[in-house]
Amino acid sequence: MPIPREKFKILYSRERIAAEVKRLGQEITRDYQQRDILLVGVLKGSFLFIADLIREIESPTMIDFVRLASYGSQTQSSGIIEFRKELEMPIRDRDVIIVEDIVDSGYTLECLYNKLLLQEPRSLKICSLIDKRGRREVEIEADYVGMTMDEGFIIGYGLDYDEHYRNLPDIYTVEDF
Ligand code: PRP
């Protein structure tokens, strides 16, 4: 069921998002110099972020995707993670950066990080557009973070409610969630 628009309140404008994405791209470019990078996008939520981020990185960069889904309510993870799409490229001895739209409980990232580590990449880092620190259930931190927030349900710029609203160019909080 659609959410009434009056419940949307803008949290991060498209200009703010673009500025943070640019900064993250510059930091990654600086840290990796001219080393080859493999970005691993976590579908579906990261699809816009990774598309913008890769254009802000000036090091040689390749891309691959995994698809994970966490079970639970619309707004809260249960900690049960399902892999729906595996990596297509080998990551052994490669410099890998996992790209997420949001770290919430941390279960999704913990699960993916540990799985990728078993494949012995040369390095493994995490880049998340949003770090929702107030709800962390497991100890995991992103190495590159765009914005941090404590609480609240958000949509837009890849983030969904029941698969809707991923196309909104700005990020909104939704009241009464
Ligand atoms: C969302 C988001 C992260 C994960 C974060 O994905 O994109 O991958 O939840 O939550 P966690 O830290 O509590 O695990 P979701 O499972 O909703 O799938 P989607 O990316 O397809 O929207």
Side-chain angles (χ1 to χ4, degrees), residues 28-87:
I28 291 170
T29 303
R30 184 199 61 211
D31 291 352
Y32 288 79
Q33 302 286 330
Q34 283 307 302
R35 268 154 59 199
D36 287 345
I37 300 170
L38 176 62
L39 295 184
V40 173
V42 184
L43 294 172
K44 297 178 191 177
S46 71
F47 78 106
L48 289 178
F49 175 42
I50 200 168
D52 288 339
L53 180 68
I54 198 169
R55 286 177 283 180
E56 299 292 349
I57 297 175
E58 289 170 22
S59 316
T61 304
M62 293 184 195
I63 195 166
D64 200 352
F65 292 95
V66 291
R67 165 107 173 91
L68 290 97
S70 56
Y71 285 98
S73 68
Q74 298 288 359
T75 60
Q76 192 138 14
S77 171
S78 64
I80 301 167
I81 312 294
E82 183 194 12
F83 268 82
R84 295 193 180 162
K85 182 202 173 301
E86 302 282 343
L87 276 179

Side-chain angles (χ1 to χ4, degrees), residues 11 14 67 78 94 101 103 120 124 130 140 145 149 152 156:
L11 181 65
R14 64 197 76 183
R67 165 107 173 91
S78 64
R94 305 205 54 145
D101 51 339
V103 193
E120 300 181 341
L124 183 58
I130 298 163
I140 192 146
V145 173
M149 61 181 287

